[in-house]
């Protein structure tokens, strides 16, 4: 259904589809997809069963391709021809939104990792933090990634293990003692 010019101009610049494409590819950073696979992944399925649907789908594909192209131009995605097909991948830039105005800042100025205290299992929560700069509101930080990592056993854990071993050794019957069969 056509929409009024006013509505068109007031509309957000396809942010939803952009966000969907980016989150789909960012969640699968280690893989590259064809544009059709991305479409299928987002369930914008291309259907070619009837001429009418086929015609509509071609338009959808063209729209979709335009979105992808736009994202490549903005440096958010990268493309490469492999074995005669074009593949798309997340560009590896992690954007963040300014907490004050919501403006999107594409590249962090700096990123670093921090790890919390280990829990009883020796697991630590590792955070990757990014420092961004909003042109209006200055620097802000965002957690980019949370990951549980296994840390080397601490001295406390080692001592505990040794104590358990000693206890087990104590329980063992001494050689020469009578043992039930
Ligand atoms: Zn801002």
């Amino acid at each position: 259904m056509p929409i009024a010019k006013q509505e068109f101009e007031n509309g957000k610049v396809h942010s939803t589809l952009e966000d969907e494409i980016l989150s789909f590819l960012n969640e699968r950073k280690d893989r590259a997809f064809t544009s059709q696979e991305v479409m299928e992944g987002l369930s914008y399925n291309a259907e070619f069963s009837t001429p009418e649907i086929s015609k509509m789908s071609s338009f959808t594909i063209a729209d979709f391709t335009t979105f992808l192209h736009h994202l490549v131009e903005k440096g958010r995605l990268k493309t490469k021809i492999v074995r005669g097909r074009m593949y798309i991948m997340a560009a590896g830039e992690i954007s963040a939104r300014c907490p004050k105005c919501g403006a999107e800042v594409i590249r962090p100025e700096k990123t670093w990792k921090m790890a919390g205290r280990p829990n009883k299992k020796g697991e630590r929560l590792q955070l990757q933090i990014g420092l961004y700069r909003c042109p209006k509101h200055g620097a802000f930080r965002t957690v980019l990634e949370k990951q549980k990592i296994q840390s080397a056993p601490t001295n406390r854990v080692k001592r505990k293990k040794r104590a358990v071993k000693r206890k087990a050794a104590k329980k063992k019957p001494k050689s020469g003692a009578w043992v039930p069969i």
Side-chain angles (χ1 to χ4, degrees):
M1 207 207 278
I3 56 166
K5 188 184 174 203
Q6 178 90 32
E7 197 182 339
F8 177 86
E9 273 163 7
N10 289 346
K12 268 193 169 180
V13 188
H14 49 249
S15 58
T16 320
L17 183 55
E18 261 192 37
D19 285 348
E20 280 179 48
I21 295 172
L22 285 173
S23 65
F24 177 84
L25 290 169
N26 276 324
E27 279 163 22
R28 298 162 181 81
K29 269 180 226 159
D30 52 343
R31 301 180 74 178
F33 298 84
T34 63
S35 59
Q36 199 184 335
E37 284 165 348
V38 178
M39 272 183 94
E40 281 167 7
L42 298 175
S43 32
Y44 290 96
N45 286 317
E47 263 232 51
F48 296 100
S49 43
T50 69
E52 293 84 54
I53 290 176
S54 165
K55 202 173 166 193
M56 277 176 61
S57 295
S58 308
F59 277 119
T60 315
I61 290 170
D63 279 354
F64 197 78
T65 314
T66 310
F67 281 118
L68 290 177
H69 185 70
H70 187 62
L71 287 169
V72 172
E73 272 189 337
K74 277 167 75 180
R76 309 297 301 278
L77 302 178
K78 52 189 176 187
T79 57
K80 215 172 182 184
I81 309 281
V82 183
R83 281 183 260 128
R85 296 201 69 177
M86 192 170 84
Y87 283 89
I88 307 149
M89 239 184 128
E93 301 289 0
I94 324 150
S95 70
R97 290 188 186 278
C98 169
K100 284 184 184 145
C101 66
E104 193 182 27
V105 186
I106 294 174
R107 282 179 198 85
E109 283 187 351
K110 199 171 123 184
T111 65
W112 66 93
K113 284 178 180 172
M114 282 172 79
R117 285 178 159 276
N119 64 11
K120 279 179 193 162
K121 287 183 204 158
E123 292 167 343
R124 292 153 69 105
L125 190 63
Q126 183 180 272
L127 305 178
Q128 195 191 0
I129 298 165
L131 181 75
Y132 291 82
R133 193 168 297 279
C134 168
K136 282 183 203 153
H137 302 102
F140 63 94
R141 295 168 188 202
T142 303
V143 174
L144 301 172
E145 201 181 273
K146 281 184 193 172
Q147 199 185 2
K148 255 191 188 163
I149 53 166
Q150 187 68 42
S151 62
T154 59
N155 285 335
R156 200 168 64 96
V157 173
K158 276 185 201 159
R159 270 204 304 278
K160 212 171 179 182
K161 272 189 182 163
R162 275 203 297 271
V164 169
K165 250 188 193 169
R166 268 202 304 277
K167 225 177 183 181
K170 260 188 196 169
K171 272 188 188 162
K172 260 188 221 160
K174 288 199 178 88
S175 56
W178 290 99
V179 185
I181 302 170

